[in-house]
Amino acid sequence: MPEVSSLAGRLLVAAPALADPNFTRSVVLVLDHDDDGALGVVLNRPTPVDVSEVLEPWAALAGEPGVVFQGGPVALDAALALAVVPGEGPLGWRRVHGSIGLVDLDAPPEVLAGEVGSLRVFAGYAGWGAGQLESELDEGAWYVVDSEPGDVSVPRPEGLWRAVLRRQRSGLALLATYPDDPSLN
């Protein structure tokens, strides 16, 4: 089996035809990807649950909207957090790609408070077994595009799918105008 080229730090943008309700019009930031599989979080699925309700010490660092996001269908009872940190980053933060990194939610928030920008908390994650993501890519379920630091902390996450597509310098930009229900055209 050929070695997998890592997609860590890139975005998976759901194709309009992707029928899985967990991923319809989703934008997934890939956090880890190797021969054993892939792991990421859905960036545009806010829940109505305030961060203060589940992780009160971190609420002051949460960006707008200050809610927990559904990171994917796997392990919904587990939380992970991402934050944008320019430079080297403090203890309790691990770089994923560029200035985007994972926050250790067991660390005291005060340690990161001065350096962390726009913390975002996710319940659950998206996961793929060995070769599964590659198969979905071959089927055309996802478009792989570059991420930008602002994708993690966009204040209007419901518009992220269209915004990411619109900024592409290819035919993908046209998909941003794809109707929610093509049968109504």
Side-chain angles (χ1 to χ4, degrees):
M1 177 186 232
E3 188 173 315
V4 170
S5 177
S6 180
L7 297 176
R10 309 239 9 236
L11 297 177
L12 302 176
V13 180
L18 182 61
D20 183 336
N22 291 304
F23 297 108
T24 301
R25 295 206 173 203
S26 65
V27 177
V28 177
L29 175 65
V30 179
L31 303 175
D32 192 26
H33 181 223
D34 58 25
D35 291 333
D36 296 326
L39 179 138
V41 289
V42 177
L43 297 177
N44 58 335
R45 293 279 191 276
T47 72
V49 179
D50 285 336
V51 172
S52 62
E53 292 179 40
V54 291
L55 288 167
E56 198 281 324
W58 292 97
L61 297 178
E64 288 300 318
V67 298
V68 175
F69 282 66
Q70 184 173 339
V74 181
L76 290 171
D77 58 346
L80 61 90
L82 292 174
V84 175
V85 175
E88 289 302 308
L91 287 174
W93 180 83
R94 181 178 64 84
R95 184 176 318 282
V96 171
H97 176 75
S99 59
I100 301 167
L102 284 164
V103 173
D104 179 357
L105 292 172
D106 290 328
E110 310 78 55
V111 172
L112 293 110
E115 297 185 57
V116 168
S118 299
L119 177 86
R120 183 135 297 163
V121 176
F122 299 88
Y125 61 91
W128 294 265
Q132 185 181 1
L133 178 56
E134 291 74 17
S135 293
E136 291 180 16
L137 291 170
D138 289 344
E139 293 166 4
W142 300 99
Y143 304 110
V144 179
V145 300
D146 291 335
S147 64
E148 294 180 1
D151 296 335
V152 171
S153 57
V154 64
R156 292 183 30 89
E158 63 279 357
L160 187 61
W161 185 83
R162 281 192 162 90
V164 168
L165 287 171
R166 196 173 295 120
R167 73 179 185 228
Q168 302 311 306
R169 299 179 193 272
S170 66
L172 285 180
L174 291 174
L175 288 176
T177 62
Y178 197 88
D180 291 336
D181 185 352
S183 68
L184 297 178
N185 272 355

